[in-house]
Structure formats: C-alpha cells, structure tokens
Amino acid sequence: MSQPITVLVVDNEPGYADLAGSMLEREHDAIEAIAATGADEALAAFDRRDVDCIVSEYEMPTLSGLELLERVREDDPDLPFILYTGRGSEELASEAIAAGVTQYFQKEPGEEQYALLANQITNAVSQYRAETELRESERRYERTLTTLHETTRDLMRAETKDEIYQSAVDTAGEILDVPVAAAYAFEPTDGVLAHAASMRESRELVDPEMTFERGEGLVWEAFSEGESAYYEDVQGTGVERAQTWSRSELIVPLGTHGVLVAGTEDVDGFDETMTELLHILAANTEAALDRAEREQLLREHDRTLTQQNEELTRLNHTNEIVREINHGVAQASTRDEIETRVCDRLADTERYLFAWIATSDDDPPTPTAWAGVDAAYIDRIRDDGDCAPEVGVIRETLATEQVQVVRNVLEADGWAPRRKDALTYGYQTVLSVPLVDDERRYGALLVHVPGVDAITDSEREVLGELGETIGHAIRSVEQTRAMLTDSRVELELTSHDERLLVNRLSERIGGPITLEGVIDRADDEVVVFVSVPSTAELGSITEGWASVETLSVVSGGEDETLFEVTLSSTPFLDVLRTYDVQLREATAEDGTTSLVLEVPHHVETRSLIEGVQDSYPDTELDARRETTGTRSARQVDTYLEERLTDKQFEALQAAHYSGFFEWPRESTGEDLADALDVSPPTYHYHLRAAERKLVTLAFDGGSN
C-alpha cells in the first residue's frame, strides 16, 4: 500500500469540497481528503493537521485562493498547492503561476477531471516528498559533517589514546544511529586486540574483557589485512555469537593502532553514506592516534632528557665533591683524619644529609667517624649491635665488595626500627660503599640521602670508586706509619689441618718438626729449611708428593738433621705473601702445627685469619699481642731490602737458617750451594757480598 496522501480541499460552495474530496479518494486509494469551506476554515485545518497538498478554489469570501497560498507559503514554501477554480482566464493563470502555485487546474463538468486532478496531486506530492527528503538528507549530512568536524577537533585535543577511542565510538553511535559501537586496540606485547572503548549505550552488549587473538574472528581478520570489511549478515559467516553483537557489522582498521567496529540489529543495515561517514571517522581517529603516539614519544623523550640533565648535574656535583675529598685525603696523615674529612665533606653538601664510616676491625662493625648527624643516632646503632639494620648492609657490602643501596628504608625488610629516625632526619635512601684496596677491606662508608631510590647508577659508580680511593689512602697512611714505627701484631695460630705441609711431614716421621726458615724464590718456587730428630727418616717423599720437588740433607748432628725442601708455592705461603706477613716460628708434631706470625700493624688481622682458614679450615687463633721492635733492627731490615740483591739476600737467609754461622758449623757452603742449585763459588761470592754490606752497615752506618 502506498504512503497516504492528506489533501486539504477548499471551496466556498457548501458541500462541493466534500464531493471533490470523495471523488479524489475514489480515484486514488492513497488520498485522504479533508474538506474546508472557505479560507479561514482551511487555515484552521492546516494548523491542526499535517497536510501533503492543498486544492483550493480561487474566489472565496474572506481570502482568495492566491491569498490563501500566500498565507500557507509563510509556513511551508514548498507545499504542493493546486489552484482548482471555476473561473478560468489566461490572466488568472498567469497570476497564479507567478504567485507560485504548483498547478493551475480549471473545473470542468464530468468525473474525468477528478482522475486528472488525482494524478496531478500524486505527482506533486511525490516530488514534494522527494525534494523534502533530499533536503532533509542534505541537512542531516551537513549536521553529521559538522559533528565529525567537532569530533576531529576533540580528537586532536585529546591527550591520551583512551580519550580518543572513547570519543570515536561515541561519535560513531551518534552519527550512524547504531546500537553498537566499539574500539579495540592492538597490544603488541601480547599480540591481541583488547577492548579500548565502547559506546555508552552499548556497554551492556559489549564485553570489556573480550580480546581477539591472532587469527581469531572477523575483527582480527580485518585488522590483519588492513582493509575495512562489511558483513550484511554476520550470522551467515559462521562466527560464534559470543564474538558478535549484531546482524550486520562494519569493521574499519585504525592503521596499526586497532579497529573501529559498528553494528546494527538489521540485516544489511549500513548504506553507502553510513559507510563513508564511518571511514571518515576512522581516518580522523587514526590521525589522532598517530598524533597522540608522537606526542607521547616526545613527552617520554623530554622526560628522558630532563632526567639525564638532572643526573648529569648531580653527577657533576658528585664528581666535584669526590675531587675535593680526594684532595683532602691525599693531605691526610692518619686513618682517623681520612675518615673525618670524608664524612665532613659529604655531610656539607645539599645532596647528602649525613655520612658515617664503620670499621671492619670490630664485630659487629661500629661507627668510627660521622658528620651531619647527632651522636644520639650513632649511639643507637652501637646499642643495637648485630640487630642494627645498618650492620646487615655493611656485612653484605664487605662480603661482596660491591656498593649496596637500600632504596626505601620505610618499606625495606628489617628497617622498621629506623622508621622514626628516617622520618625525623628526612632520609629514605641509604648507600653503603665498601672501603677496599687490592688486598684488604677496611670498612664501609654509609651515606643517607633524602627521597626514595635517590641514587643514580652513575652516582653509584662514582661513589664506589671513591670507596676504593679511600681504601688505598688508608693503606698508604698505615704503611707509612708502619715504616716510621716498629709496631707489629704477633699472632699465634694452631692448625690441625692435614693439608698443611708441616703437619703431613710430622705425621710421616712420627715426631716433631721445626720450620727453620723460608726462602721465597722467583717463579713461585720456595725453599724451606726444616729440622727433624736425627732418628727420623723422611725418605724419598718426592716420589709420592706432588708439592715437593726436591729433598736433601743440609747437615746432620747427634740430635737433629736439617733438611732443605724445594716446593711449589702453597696456599698458606700465598696468604702470607699477600698480606706482607713474616713467619717467625712453626713447630709441628703429631699432625698439629703451632705458628707465630708477625703482622704489620696496618693489616686487618681478621681478613688474614679468614684467608688462612679458607684454605686450611681446621686452623684457629690462640693469641694476639702487640709488639715493638728496636729502631736499629728496623734500620737493618730496611738496609738489607734496599742494598742486597735477591741472590745475596737468598745466600744470607740460607746461611742463617742452616746454622752456617754456628760453631761448629751445622752446614757447609757446598751444602747450601746444592740447596740453592748454584755452584759453590757462586754461592760463596753472593754470601761474601752480603756479609760485606752487612759489616759496612755495622761500622760505617751504611754510607757505602
């Protein structure tokens, strides 16, 4: 059935309007006629109802047909208006056409005129409706374009991708008038399309948890191919209902960002205009996403540059502080002075709140120097002992010889006792720097810094190098002190470890054995002189012991025999060499050795003992005592080290250890020459040269 056509028939003759209306309805089923007698009644009917066409007489009492036309045109300039009059003249026809009537039709006798009039009405109304629809469509398209332009401005102003996705789907729902609109963003890490936004009205239909994995569904297919796809009836594609919400869907990729999806409940619900509009929206959305991505990269780049500049500024400041510390340390003459200057300079900066140093000589490590903090804080650390959280960090620092950082003491495990102190003094980051040199660990430097995780990697490296500088400086001043004084530490050790050579020898002979002396030769070769009871028999141990290279008798007596043993360097001797320690006495019996070591004052005894125990675990410390030698003895040692050649020093050592200077002599020059693997004349040459220099020191004060 055709769409109804409402026709208002106006005539001044009572009953004629009804008759004409009936005749028009008879001629065309779609026509519904309304009769009005006179212009006033016609205007009233026109105001009350929607009218598609007016058929009016010209001559009427109050208003003529053309005057009625003028009134109607004020409300609707394009409404079909047919002047149907019994008065016919060319003059009237011209006036009517000039006034804008749709058609001029003259009344004639007979019913045929109504068929012609009905045809005129339907044609005029069809054209009117088409033009009206076209104008409405144009206006709607203009409104849509305006909306798109406004949306584009919003998209370009949006700061985040989430805002862009949401604006796009809301606009899609508005301009297309669809029940479903959603956007899915590509997540490169997981390789999926994840829900990014959906139209507010369709959130009950769209599952925000849904994702499309590789090769899954129509949405992924359109995205992977980079081409938009339109499905007139999704149910006919075989896709599961869980993956779609509508009968027809339009899917448009957003470049590499994701896709924009719109759906309707009708089959083939998208016309060409809707498709074009969605593509325009998608293109604008993609451009906005590109812009947002670029701006995000720029912001991240700016943040990175800002951070790098801040780090560089801090690093330059730290380097300046370190240079000043190095200068002060170089001028210091004692360890206490070094530690004090380091703490004072660090605490005197805006970068660090306070600093303190703990020595590794104490167990647990305790503060020895501090600056920037009151003594009450240091006393709490000392009172807490092993329970102090700082002690754990210091021990880890010394064990690894690496810088340790507590990034936030308010959250770090074990730091609850320092929460109040941290808030009171204003620190959250704690840095622990090992004070080490190549051979020894002296302690740790702790620096307290405001802010969470406030130490950069570069700053950490610089402060780590500062720790090494401090370690070398401490070693240097202690060595200087040792050279100026004869203070020594004497350690007595007992070792039951079966891997110790003298323990093995004592078990081999079943009696006591005394180490008379050690000559440390080049190429890791060591010559030792040992005395054993004359009744003992070492035999040819070189055949079964890889560590012993040669074994020979230097001298023999009624009570004991002196052996010379050549062997490769042992772990025990390596430790003594590393710490510059002298072995003064060593006596072994029944697999147990008593050792006396002379240790320079600057050497950390605990590290030395740990070094021995690493290779010989069954070793323990019996006694530790301070000793002071005579100035003259120290001068002789220094003179011999400076004036004697290595060969001369070896010859003198061998003569001393073997009893060559005893009377009667316990060894001969030939015996010692064999022990040192040189000819007798060569040995006597080196020994005489050493004796001459020693005598010169005694009589001339070492002037030659």
Side-chain angles (χ1 to χ4, degrees):
M1 180 178 177
S2 302
Q3 185 178 356
I5 299 173
T6 303
V7 179
L8 178 60
V9 182
V10 185
D11 200 283
N12 61 322
E13 291 290 337
Y16 185 80
D18 291 329
L19 175 62
S22 298
M23 296 301 294
L24 291 173
E25 290 176 350
R26 182 185 303 173
E27 291 295 333
H28 203 292
D29 293 338
I31 293 178
E32 295 179 358
I34 303 172
T37 303
D40 294 335
E41 187 178 342
L43 289 173
F46 180 71
D47 291 336
R48 289 195 308 268
R49 297 187 59 177
D50 291 333
V51 175
D52 297 311
C53 181
I54 297 176
V55 178
S56 175
E57 173 60 69
Y58 171 73
E59 291 182 343
M60 290 182 293
T62 56
L63 295 174
S64 68
L66 294 182
E67 290 173 336
L68 175 61
L69 171 64
E70 184 178 351
R71 297 285 295 274
V72 169
R73 287 286 184 260
E74 293 176 359
D75 292 333
D76 190 344
D78 300 313
L79 183 71
F81 193 101
I82 298 175
L83 192 63
Y84 181 55
T85 179
R87 177 188 170 187
S89 67
E90 292 182 4
E91 181 181 354
L92 179 59
S94 298
E95 184 181 357
I97 293 173
V101 298
T102 305
Q103 193 62 260
Y104 173 81
F105 199 80
Q106 188 172 354
K107 294 179 181 178
E108 295 180 356
E111 297 180 2
E112 292 81 3
Q113 62 180 330
Y114 294 108
L116 183 57
L117 179 58
N119 187 52
Q120 295 269 354
I121 291 172
T122 56
N123 290 338
V125 171
S126 295
Q127 183 176 355
Y128 169 73
R129 287 178 173 174
E131 292 174 352
T132 301
E133 178 63 27
L134 179 60
R135 286 192 297 272
E136 181 60 31
S137 177
E138 290 174 348
R139 285 194 294 269
R140 187 165 56 247
Y141 190 77
E142 290 175 358
R143 288 196 301 271
T144 300
L145 288 178
T146 301
T147 303
L148 278 175
H149 291 319
E150 293 174 353
T151 302
T152 300
R153 288 194 294 270
D154 293 339
L155 290 174
M156 292 305 173
R157 286 194 295 262
E159 296 183 357
T160 66
K161 287 187 175 183
D162 289 341
E163 294 177 358
I164 293 172
Y165 284 124
Q166 189 61 58
S167 179
V169 296
D170 288 342
T171 303
E174 180 180 350
I175 64 176
L176 301 181
D177 192 23
V178 293
V180 175
Y184 290 84
F186 178 60
E187 302 290 348
T189 302
D190 299 328
V192 299
L193 287 168
H195 177 269
S198 54
M199 193 175 67
R200 292 173 177 81
E201 292 77 6
S202 62
R203 287 179 180 171
E204 295 182 358
L205 301 174
V206 179
D207 182 5
E209 302 298 326
M210 178 176 288
T211 59
F212 296 93
E213 299 182 357
R214 287 186 174 90
E216 181 183 23
L218 303 177
V219 173
W220 180 271
E221 182 178 349
F223 173 71
S224 62
E225 292 182 358
E227 298 289 341
S228 62
Y230 174 51
Y231 300 95
E232 297 180 0
D233 188 355
V234 178
Q235 294 182 8
T237 62
V239 176
E240 295 181 7
R241 184 63 183 171
Q243 294 182 343
T244 186
W245 323 272
S246 50
R247 291 297 298 272
S248 60
E249 283 185 1
L250 181 57
I251 307 171
V252 183
L254 302 174
T256 59
H257 302 288
V259 293
L260 187 60
V261 183
T264 68
E265 298 174 343
D266 302 323
V267 176
D268 195 15
F270 290 89
D271 57 23
E272 185 176 345
T273 301
M274 295 173 68
T275 302
E276 179 185 354
L277 292 173
L278 190 63
H279 278 85
I280 295 174
L281 175 61
N284 292 339
T285 303
E286 181 180 350
L289 291 170
D290 288 338
R291 186 265 313 161
E293 193 169 85
R294 288 193 301 271
E295 291 182 354
Q296 181 179 356
L297 291 174
L298 287 174
R299 286 193 296 269
E300 292 176 356
H301 182 65
D302 289 342
R303 282 196 297 269
T304 300
L305 288 178
T306 301
Q307 291 174 355
Q308 290 176 345
N309 288 334
E310 292 175 353
E311 290 180 7
L312 183 60
T313 301
R314 285 198 298 267
L315 185 59
N316 289 336
H317 183 55
T318 302
N319 284 327
E320 182 180 350
I321 295 171
V322 169
R323 282 194 295 271
E324 294 178 5
I325 291 176
N326 288 338
H327 180 70
V329 165
Q331 296 177 333
S333 58
T334 66
R335 177 173 178 173
D336 290 342
E337 190 176 351
I338 291 173
E339 293 179 350
T340 300
R341 289 189 178 184
V342 169
C343 293
D344 286 344
R345 185 62 189 92
L346 289 173
D348 193 33
T349 67
E350 296 181 359
R351 174 74 178 133
Y352 311 117
L353 291 174
F354 59 93
W356 54 282
I357 289 176
T359 177
S360 58
D361 292 335
D362 300 326
D363 191 17
T366 55
T368 55
W370 61 91
V373 67
D374 53 52
Y377 183 86
I378 302 300
D379 288 340
R380 279 193 290 276
I381 296 174
R382 290 173 170 170
D383 293 341
D384 290 344
D386 274 324
C387 297
E390 295 87 352
V391 169
V393 175
I394 293 171
R395 284 176 171 162
E396 185 177 0
T397 302
L398 295 176
T400 61
E401 296 189 3
Q402 299 291 327
V403 176
Q404 303 296 322
V405 178
V406 181
R407 304 184 185 281
N408 186 358
V409 299
L410 299 181
E411 297 181 357
D413 294 339
W415 282 81
R418 293 290 181 266
R419 177 180 177 84
K420 182 177 180 180
D421 291 323
L423 295 174
T424 300
Y425 293 98
Y427 70 87
Q428 284 181 269
T429 301
V430 176
L431 181 80
S432 179
V433 181
L435 307 181
V436 298
D437 68 353
D438 296 334
E439 300 177 358
R440 185 180 167 191
R441 296 167 294 182
Y442 294 96
L445 166 67
L446 279 85
V447 182
H448 295 245
V449 189
V452 176
D453 196 13
I455 297 294
T456 66
D457 292 341
S458 300
E459 191 175 11
R460 182 172 176 169
E461 293 178 3
V462 170
L463 292 175
E465 293 175 358
L466 173 63
E468 295 179 4
T469 302
I470 297 171
H472 289 307
I474 293 175
R475 178 176 175 83
S476 177
V477 298
E478 290 192 344
Q479 285 179 332
T480 302
R481 179 189 173 196
M483 292 177 62
L484 297 176
T485 64
D486 293 322
S487 178
R488 288 285 188 274
V489 174
E490 195 171 83
L491 301 180
E492 291 185 6
L493 304 177
T494 299
S495 178
H496 307 281
D497 201 295
E498 61 181 10
R499 285 172 293 183
L500 192 64
L501 178 62
V502 288
N503 279 342
R504 295 166 61 192
L505 289 174
S506 70
E507 290 182 338
R508 178 66 177 268
I509 66 174
I513 182 171
T514 301
L515 185 65
E516 301 293 347
V518 178
I519 301 177
D520 195 355
R521 306 190 73 187
D523 300 326
D524 289 333
E525 184 181 84
V526 179
V527 177
V528 297
F529 294 88
V530 295
S531 297
V532 299
S534 58
T535 57
E537 178 60 42
L538 287 181
S540 55
I541 63 175
T542 56
E543 297 178 0
W545 292 11
S547 57
V548 177
E549 297 179 358
T550 63
L551 173 69
S552 60
V553 176
V554 177
S555 64
E558 294 181 359
D559 297 328
E560 63 181 14
T561 302
L562 179 66
F563 283 90
E564 171 266 325
V565 183
T566 303
L567 45 90
S568 57
S569 184
T570 66
F572 179 75
L573 296 176
D574 289 340
V575 173
L576 298 188
R577 187 185 302 114
T578 299
Y579 287 89
D580 194 22
V581 173
Q582 297 295 322
L583 176 62
R584 291 306 181 196
E585 297 179 18
T587 303
E589 187 172 5
D590 298 330
T592 299
T593 300
S594 297
L595 302 161
V596 177
L597 307 180
E598 186 179 276
V599 184
H601 194 275
H602 67 273
V603 173
E604 182 187 19
T605 57
R606 186 174 65 180
S607 297
L608 169 63
I609 295 171
E610 289 176 354
V612 174
Q613 291 175 338
D614 285 343
S615 299
Y616 306 96
D618 199 3
T619 301
E620 56 191 23
L621 174 66
D622 293 333
R624 181 185 186 277
R625 53 181 172 269
E626 298 280 343
T627 62
T628 304
T630 62
R631 174 70 62 179
S632 59
R634 185 62 184 165
Q635 288 175 341
V636 171
D637 290 344
T638 303
Y639 177 87
L640 293 177
E641 290 176 3
E642 292 178 351
R643 300 298 179 87
L644 269 62
T645 66
D646 292 342
K647 296 296 183 181
Q648 293 168 359
F649 193 70
E650 284 183 3
L652 197 60
Q653 280 183 306
H656 172 69
Y657 295 145
S658 65
F660 181 81
F661 298 117
E662 301 292 336
W663 186 258
R665 284 180 174 173
E666 299 177 2
S667 62
T668 66
E670 288 73 13
D671 295 331
L672 297 177
D674 289 339
L676 298 180
D677 195 24
V678 296
S679 65
T682 300
Y683 175 76
H684 283 292
Y685 171 78
H686 290 313
L687 180 61
R688 291 300 182 190
E691 290 173 335
R692 182 174 63 254
K693 292 180 179 180
L694 188 58
V695 171
T696 300
L697 172 64
F699 289 101
D700 297 338
S703 58
N704 295 325

